[in-house]
């Protein structure tokens, strides 16, 4: 079925008229469908990946092989989501060198490739390693992104990613999250 705005009423959450193939750093969050925890557990304040979580890390780290000019910065695979920073450098075409036939990748293509590759690997794991199957899809349809505009923001986001396992018990992506205690009560 094709997208029909009169029926579907889906709005893009992307920044209007922004070129997501531009060089820069992007913070992305990708969440599993129904927030199903399939990549391991947080023990204490550390993420402990199972085989599927290790696979999700390997695929993330391998994306620069598929997309030259892309670098993976800080990231963490959590039980049911991934936070990561993707840095895109100028491609030769964008840098003003001679034109090439290769089109600069967009952030959406990179995240889409990650979701596709991990889904295929997960399906193989269901068949060969007895990983728990997922219902309809492994990942939610969309992803959250934030354009990182300066070094202060980059450092803050890196800290957030590094501290994410320690904050799991309060994380909105955790179905069993605790409410933070209010010291004033």
């Amino acid at each position: 079925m094709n997208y029909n705005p009169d029926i579907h009423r889906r709005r893009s959450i992307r920044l209007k008229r922004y070129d997501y193939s531009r060089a820069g750093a992007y913070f992305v969050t990708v969440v599993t469908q129904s927030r199903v925890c399939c990549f391991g557990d947080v023990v204490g304040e550390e993420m402990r990946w199972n085989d599927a979580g290790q696979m999700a890390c390997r695929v993330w780290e391998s994306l620069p092989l598929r997309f030259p000019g892309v670098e993976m910065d800080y990231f963490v695979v959590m039980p049911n989501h991934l936070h990561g920073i993707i840095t895109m450098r100028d491609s030769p075409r964008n840098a003003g060198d001679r034109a090439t036939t290769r089109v600069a990748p967009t952030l959406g293509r990179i995240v889409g490739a990650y979701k596709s590759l991990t889904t295929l690997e997960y399906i193989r794991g269901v068949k060969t390693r007895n990983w728990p199957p997922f219902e309809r899809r492994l990942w939610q349809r969309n992803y959250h992104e934030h354009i990182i505009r300066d070094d202060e923001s980059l450092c803050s986001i890196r800290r957030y990613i590094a501290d994410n396992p320690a904050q799991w018990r309060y994380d909105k992506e955790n179905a069993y999250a605790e409410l933070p205690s209010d010291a004033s009560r």
Side-chain angles (χ1 to χ4, degrees), residues 64-134:
L65 299 173
R66 181 175 285 265
F67 298 103
V70 169
E71 296 174 1
M72 311 321 275
D73 198 294
Y74 276 50
F75 77 98
V76 64
V77 173
M78 295 294 291
N80 62 2
H81 66 281
L82 167 133
H83 292 300
I85 298 171
I86 299 172
T87 302
M88 297 166 50
R89 295 188 310 263
D90 277 327
S91 67
R93 184 180 182 113
N94 291 341
D97 294 347
R98 63 181 174 84
T100 65
T101 57
R102 176 171 260 169
V103 176
T106 64
L107 184 63
R109 284 192 56 220
I110 296 165
V111 173
Y114 177 75
K115 290 165 73 171
S116 294
L117 293 166
T118 51
T119 298
L120 290 171
E121 287 296 318
Y122 197 92
I123 290 168
R124 287 186 195 122
V126 168
K127 293 177 181 175
T128 61
R129 297 184 179 147
N130 296 320
W131 293 351
F134 50 89

Side-chain angles (χ1 to χ4, degrees), residues 24-30 49 56-57 60-61 63-64 70-78 81-88 107 110 114 144 146 148 151-165:
Y26 302 87
F27 172 50
V28 298
T29 300
V30 185
W49 298 295
C57 291
W60 181 260
E61 292 171 328
L63 287 173
V70 169
E71 296 174 1
M72 311 321 275
D73 198 294
Y74 276 50
F75 77 98
V76 64
V77 173
M78 295 294 291
H81 66 281
L82 167 133
H83 292 300
I85 298 171
I86 299 172
T87 302
M88 297 166 50
L107 184 63
I110 296 165
Y114 177 75
H144 173 77
H146 171 78
I148 301 173
D151 287 340
E152 183 180 337
S153 179
L154 177 62
C155 289
S156 175
I157 291 167
R158 284 176 173 161
R159 196 169 29 257
Y160 174 81
I161 291 170
D163 293 343
N164 206 248

Side-chain angles (χ1 to χ4, degrees), residues 10-30:
R10 268 184 82 196
R11 289 183 296 130
S12 174
I13 59 175
R14 305 292 158 242
L15 198 58
K16 289 186 189 319
R17 293 182 285 284
Y18 185 83
D19 178 3
Y20 282 95
S21 67
R22 280 177 57 175
Y26 302 87
F27 172 50
V28 298
T29 300
V30 185

Side-chain angles (χ1 to χ4, degrees), residues 139-174:
W139 299 103
Q140 288 183 4
R141 177 178 293 175
N142 219 330
Y143 63 95
H144 173 77
E145 55 78 16
H146 171 78
I147 302 163
I148 301 173
R149 292 189 160 89
D150 56 39
D151 287 340
E152 183 180 337
S153 179
L154 177 62
C155 289
S156 175
I157 291 167
R158 284 176 173 161
R159 196 169 29 257
Y160 174 81
I161 291 170
D163 293 343
N164 206 248
Q167 299 301 314
W168 176 242
R169 66 177 180 248
Y170 307 115
D171 196 310
K172 69 179 182 176
E173 303 303 342
N174 179 355

